[in-house]
Amino acid sequence: MGKLGLPVPPGFTISTEACHLFYKNKKKLNLNLIKQINKEIKIIERDSKKKFGDLKNPLLVSVRSGARVSMPGMMDTILNLGLNDQTVEALAKKTLNTRFAKDSYRRFIQMYSNVVLGIESYNFEELIENYKLTKGVLLDTELDEFDWDNLITDFKNLVRKKTKKEFPQNVKDQLIGAISAVFLSWESNRAKIYRKLNQIPSEWGTAVNIQSMVFGNMGDDCATGVVFTRNPSNGEKDIYGEYLINAQGEDVVAGTRTPQNITKKARINSKQKQLSMEEAMPLVFKKLKQILFKLEKHYKDMQDVEFTVENKNLWMLQTRSGKRTAKSAVKIAVDMVKEKLISKKEAIMRIN
């Protein structure tokens, strides 16, 4: 996407080769790799004009897996990495938005503790739910900076209780822990079963993508969403997807809040009251639509795309060929031949 000139946050990829080395090296990252990672972080610092672990303008990164084929929900992701007790204060000062900074920190503690330290997510969700009950509110968005502050303390106590250690404050240690955890998730039970069901060779390994964070949870001019370039259930040539205002990617897939439709047409069809992205953010929607057209033309297949809007700026996070039903697979293949995107032979080869 970067090569196509699309707005992609600066980042780098650790290749699948490093995954093989990791398993050969008794599930540890070797020193040579750590040196290369530090060098690449410096390049992101230069491009984003932020510094990793800085007490004035901290750089936060996301750590995502990147398998050769799409394995939805099988591999782990960690957002907001680079936050600790000090950088969270720096982020609050820099953005003049303390609630956003604290919300990002509690999300990071929650994700990191789950993915890297192996503490089940429900432990944290339970703390949030109980807190909301005592405060008499329904939604996470109704909690303010002081609430998140109290929950951060509870979260850290939970980590101490479960692991007999403090939550890691050194940002470089956090990064090494997160990368190792993504490599380890390749051999998790759910990933193994998924590979078996879908005939994916286990020797492929996974890559790790590290990107500068963009935030969909800074306020009402921010959003995050998932969108298909065509409808995956019936194959219609309509943009299809969901988004949430003032949220991060996990919120859309985790089911903690009900997402809104991307298009006005889909909103009317589903009889939803809440505004679609097309209505709420018309300029961003227009830009997204142009990018989706470009991606489909480039990859010559229906795309499943993740995006974030930070202060009305659209950022593309990832794209892959989208999963679809049998009915829509046939329709999309036939339509793409008619649109001269692919040949008849390619269309037939696509149907399993």
Side-chain angles (χ1 to χ4, degrees), residues 89 98 102 144-154:
E89 300 301 339
T98 310
K102 302 283 181 180
D144 61 28
E145 61 199 74
F146 304 108
D147 299 325
W148 288 129
D149 236 355
N150 292 332
L151 277 161
I152 286 166
T153 307
D154 294 345

Side-chain angles (χ1 to χ4, degrees), residues 43 168 189 269 289 319:
I43 298 171
N189 277 337
N269 288 344
K289 207 172 163 179
T319 189

Side-chain angles (χ1 to χ4, degrees), residues 16 37 102 104 218 224 260 263 286:
T16 49
I37 291 166
K102 302 283 181 180
S104 300
M218 282 175 89
T224 187
Q260 290 144 255
T263 62
K286 195 177 158 190

Side-chain angles (χ1 to χ4, degrees), residues 19-230:
C19 184
H20 299 311
L21 290 171
F22 172 79
Y23 279 102
K24 270 185 193 157
N25 193 28
K26 298 186 182 132
K27 300 181 183 171
K28 284 194 174 69
L29 299 175
N30 66 35
L31 287 173
N32 187 16
L33 185 63
I34 293 171
K35 269 186 201 153
Q36 281 181 298
I37 291 166
N38 291 336
K39 202 170 117 190
E40 289 292 338
I41 288 284
K42 294 255 182 307
I43 298 171
I44 302 186
E45 289 179 334
R46 190 194 67 206
D47 291 346
S48 63
K49 299 181 178 55
K50 296 173 181 175
K51 275 190 95 106
F52 197 45
D54 192 51
L55 298 186
K56 283 207 174 84
N57 190 10
L59 165 73
L60 306 186
V61 295
S62 63
V63 179
R64 300 165 189 272
S65 64
R68 265 164 68 171
V69 291
S70 168
M71 293 170 63
M74 291 302 117
M75 310 289 286
D76 291 320
T77 296
I78 296 166
L79 305 178
N80 309 322
L81 190 138
L83 282 175
N84 58 26
D85 295 350
Q86 289 167 301
T87 53
V88 67
E89 300 301 339
L91 184 67
K93 255 190 202 145
K94 183 74 190 165
T95 55
L96 305 174
N97 189 339
T98 310
R99 185 197 177 278
F100 150 72
K102 302 283 181 180
D103 177 35
S104 300
Y105 190 24
R106 69 91 192 173
R107 285 167 186 270
F108 171 57
I109 296 174
Q110 206 171 338
M111 274 189 185
Y112 193 92
S113 302
N114 174 239
V115 174
V116 183
L117 308 176
I119 302 169
E120 295 276 4
S121 258
Y122 72 83
N123 290 291
F124 298 97
E125 287 304 330
E126 222 162 58
L127 287 171
I128 297 173
E129 287 311 313
N130 291 340
Y131 193 93
K132 286 194 295 199
L133 280 173
T134 52
K135 212 186 163 196
V137 298
L138 272 176
L139 299 169
D140 291 6
T141 41
E142 294 174 87
L143 297 175
D144 61 28
E145 61 199 74
F146 304 108
D147 299 325
W148 288 129
D149 236 355
N150 292 332
L151 277 161
I152 286 166
T153 307
D154 294 345
F155 281 10
K156 289 198 295 199
N157 290 340
L158 177 70
V159 171
R160 195 179 306 121
K161 192 175 136 196
K162 294 271 184 191
T163 66
K164 309 282 180 275
K165 284 181 193 153
E166 296 298 325
F167 184 80
Q169 294 289 314
N170 181 318
V171 295
K172 287 198 167 154
D173 293 347
Q174 291 175 357
L175 185 60
I176 299 303
I179 294 166
S180 304
V182 172
F183 282 151
L184 287 170
S185 71
W186 178 253
E187 287 296 327
S188 69
N189 277 337
R190 60 183 181 182
K192 280 182 183 166
I193 292 165
Y194 187 91
R195 286 202 293 276
K196 207 171 164 181
L197 290 173
N198 292 280
Q199 284 103 40
I200 298 167
S202 64
E203 57 271 14
W204 277 3
T206 182
V208 181
N209 295 309
I210 292 168
Q211 261 179 323
S212 169
M213 276 297 297
V214 285
F215 299 100
N217 61 327
M218 282 175 89
D220 289 342
D221 59 353
C222 302
T224 187
V226 177
V227 61
F228 290 84
T229 54
R230 300 183 188 224

Side-chain angles (χ1 to χ4, degrees), residues 150-330:
N150 292 332
L151 277 161
I152 286 166
T153 307
D154 294 345
F155 281 10
K156 289 198 295 199
N157 290 340
L158 177 70
V159 171
R160 195 179 306 121
K161 192 175 136 196
K162 294 271 184 191
T163 66
K164 309 282 180 275
K165 284 181 193 153
E166 296 298 325
F167 184 80
Q169 294 289 314
N170 181 318
V171 295
K172 287 198 167 154
D173 293 347
Q174 291 175 357
L175 185 60
I176 299 303
I179 294 166
S180 304
V182 172
F183 282 151
L184 287 170
S185 71
W186 178 253
E187 287 296 327
S188 69
N189 277 337
R190 60 183 181 182
K192 280 182 183 166
I193 292 165
Y194 187 91
R195 286 202 293 276
K196 207 171 164 181
L197 290 173
N198 292 280
Q199 284 103 40
I200 298 167
S202 64
E203 57 271 14
W204 277 3
T206 182
V208 181
N209 295 309
I210 292 168
Q211 261 179 323
S212 169
M213 276 297 297
V214 285
F215 299 100
N217 61 327
M218 282 175 89
D220 289 342
D221 59 353
C222 302
T224 187
V226 177
V227 61
F228 290 84
T229 54
R230 300 183 188 224
N231 189 319
S233 56
N234 61 19
E236 291 295 332
K237 199 178 174 183
D238 280 328
I239 297 172
Y240 175 90
E242 300 178 316
Y243 87 115
L244 272 173
I245 284 178
N246 196 10
Q248 280 195 326
E250 286 303 299
D251 301 341
V252 181
V253 288
T256 41
R257 281 166 63 191
T258 307
Q260 290 144 255
N261 296 104
I262 293 271
T263 62
K264 185 180 175 181
K265 185 178 159 186
R267 175 183 74 80
I268 293 166
N269 288 344
S270 63
K271 299 185 172 57
Q272 266 212 0
K273 293 268 192 298
Q274 286 178 304
L275 289 183
S276 66
M277 186 176 175
E278 187 174 358
E279 298 160 294
M281 300 181 160
L283 291 172
V284 180
F285 173 78
K286 195 177 158 190
K287 195 174 175 190
L288 177 67
K289 207 172 163 179
Q290 288 165 344
I291 288 175
L292 293 177
F293 178 74
K294 208 173 187 173
L295 284 172
E296 198 176 82
K297 214 173 149 184
H298 178 78
Y299 288 107
K300 299 184 175 10
D301 197 5
M302 173 186 90
Q303 295 298 295
D304 164 3
V305 181
E306 287 181 30
F307 67 88
T308 286
V309 181
E310 178 182 290
N311 308 132
K312 295 188 180 137
N313 287 321
L314 177 65
W315 291 94
M316 305 309 288
L317 302 182
Q318 67 172 29
T319 189
R320 55 189 172 204
S321 287
K323 299 267 183 252
R324 63 206 80 178
T325 59
K327 178 184 170 182
S328 81
V330 174

